[in-house]
Amino acid sequence: MTTPEPSVSPPDRASQTAAQAAAVWPQTIVGAGVLLTGLALAFGAIGISSEAGYGGVGPNFLPWLASLALVLCGAWILWEARTGGFRELDAPTGADSAYWPGFVWVSAGLLLNAALITTLGFILSCTLCYVLAVQGLRRASGQAGVNAPRTFVTDFVTGVLIAAPVFWTFTQFLAISLPGLTSTGWL
């Protein structure tokens, strides 16, 4: 004869309700922030000319569209938060505190990209940004082999494969000037 396995009890309703109640105010603040951002964008769009441009759409179309989307999303978030919070919210995962070394890697990538884009050109500076940012994310997730040369080479090649087509699309096809390493427009 076998013994029955102990049953797993469902999560305690009281603890779920308390967690939802604690999350209501942060959710309300986020919703209010999104709503206010949409209203501020709409206020800014008032001053943009509505004269029809290419295709009959004026330059104020996109700001109005974005502000409408933000206002609708902000109102929806506020409604959800004030009527009980997000009901299907997953339990938080990850570390209890921020991983600061990863933040430093990503920040260094962004700052070096901004500082070196006119010196190294778009492709190499964006590749450097990609390599440093990915290193920060790899370290934050605890991946093995982040210091291996192969990892750096793989990240470098991937960064070039992302940055080069973007550069060529803007410079060769859209005729938008981006800083290059050479005057040919290809690097």
Side-chain angles (χ1 to χ4, degrees):
M1 183 169 172
T2 62
T3 58
E5 295 197 23
S7 64
V8 177
S9 63
D12 183 14
R13 283 276 189 217
S15 66
Q16 283 181 337
T17 306
Q20 282 180 341
V24 167
W25 279 108
Q27 293 171 8
T28 301
I29 292 169
V30 168
V34 172
L35 181 66
L36 289 173
T37 301
L39 291 173
L41 186 59
F43 180 73
I46 290 171
I48 299 174
S49 170
S50 63
E51 291 181 22
Y54 179 75
V57 176
N60 68 347
F61 174 74
L62 191 57
W64 277 112
L65 183 67
S67 65
L68 177 66
L70 286 171
V71 166
L72 290 175
C73 288
W76 189 1
I77 292 170
L78 273 174
W79 178 78
E80 283 285 334
R82 299 315 303 158
T83 59
F86 300 116
R87 289 146 193 90
E88 309 263 340
L89 193 62
D90 291 335
T93 61
D96 292 333
S97 63
Y99 182 73
W100 292 106
F103 173 77
V104 170
W105 277 92
V106 173
S107 297
L110 291 171
L111 294 172
L112 285 172
N113 184 17
L116 298 174
I117 194 163
T118 57
T119 307
L120 295 179
F122 181 87
I123 296 173
L124 291 178
S125 67
C126 287
T127 299
L128 176 64
C129 178
Y130 178 83
V131 169
L132 294 176
V134 169
Q135 277 295 312
L137 296 174
R138 287 182 194 279
R139 291 167 193 270
S141 69
Q143 286 185 4
V146 292
N147 289 325
R150 179 179 177 163
T151 303
F152 281 102
V153 170
T154 302
D155 292 345
F156 180 82
V157 169
T158 305
V160 169
L161 290 174
I162 293 170
V166 170
F167 179 76
W168 296 328
T169 299
F170 276 85
T171 59
Q172 301 299 317
F173 302 115
L174 299 175
I176 296 174
S177 178
L178 291 175
L181 188 60
T182 65
S183 61
T184 63
W186 289 98
L187 285 177

